[in-house]
Amino acid sequence: ATNGGSSGARLHLRAGGSAAVNKSIVLNDGAFSSISDRGTFAQADGALIATLGSNAIAVSAAGNVTTRYLLTTGDVDLSSTAGSITALATLGGGTQSVANVSATAKVGTVSVLNGLQTRGKASFDAAELKLGQAIVGGVLRADGGSIVFQGNVEAGGLQVGSKATPAGSFAMAAPSP
């Protein structure tokens, strides 16, 4: 679907069960949101969701959330109430870094292994966080259970646990082979 109309038009999807994006969705600086009340959210291989501007992309599902290409210079908010979140493609990166990223999967795993680049903060609340290469302009906050860094991570600060005070700048490199 392409929003070729006026700038800022929004697209909101609501499914009683699962939602799947099988083709690309391109919005002319409009926000995208999807809620799957009792199911999952998935993007097909090659399908992208693009706001072509600074409006947010938000996806929420009761079950697993699997994303591919989310293109915006605005915020990205992903949540699952009873499943895991897997970002199969870079969130931000290159000339298309996102403003802020938030991912919540309190009983599941949040996996962002193919890259993350924000100009602002990145917040994760999950039973397990798996993070690959990441450049976070603001504070990287991780709540919940275990944290596994599987790539180089740079952040303007690190906060582990909701009551922690953010530390100063933070960098971690992947182990050498």
Side-chain angles (χ1 to χ4, degrees):
T2 301
N3 157 10
S6 62
S7 177
R10 300 171 182 269
L11 177 60
H12 176 74
L13 306 175
R14 183 150 202 156
S18 295
V21 174
N22 295 317
K23 299 286 184 183
S24 294
I25 296 172
V26 180
L27 302 170
N28 185 7
D29 198 23
F32 173 86
S33 63
S34 175
I35 299 172
S36 301
D37 292 324
R38 291 179 303 280
T40 62
F41 174 88
Q43 267 180 280
D45 191 23
L48 67 89
I49 298 171
T51 67
L52 300 183
S54 60
N55 275 301
I57 295 174
V59 175
S60 175
N64 293 333
V65 172
T66 304
T67 66
R68 300 236 179 228
Y69 304 100
L70 303 178
L71 303 176
T72 183
T73 58
D75 293 345
V76 173
D77 184 7
L78 307 173
S79 66
S80 170
T81 55
S84 294
I85 297 170
T86 304
L88 294 173
T90 301
L91 291 175
T95 60
Q96 190 72 22
S97 64
V98 298
N100 301 292
V101 169
S102 174
T104 303
K106 292 189 181 222
V107 299
T109 299
V110 171
S111 296
V112 183
L113 297 176
N114 292 307
L116 167 68
Q117 184 174 344
T118 72
R119 295 182 313 284
K121 66 183 178 183
S123 300
F124 301 98
D125 189 355
E128 180 179 35
L129 169 62
K130 293 180 180 179
L131 188 61
Q133 177 80 25
I135 300 171
V136 179
V139 172
L140 170 62
R141 184 181 64 80
D143 285 331
S146 65
I147 303 167
V148 180
F149 292 123
Q150 297 182 338
N152 296 334
V153 177
E154 299 175 28
L158 175 66
Q159 178 179 344
V160 179
S162 60
K163 301 201 184 302
T165 302
S169 63
F170 167 77
M172 177 176 275
S176 299

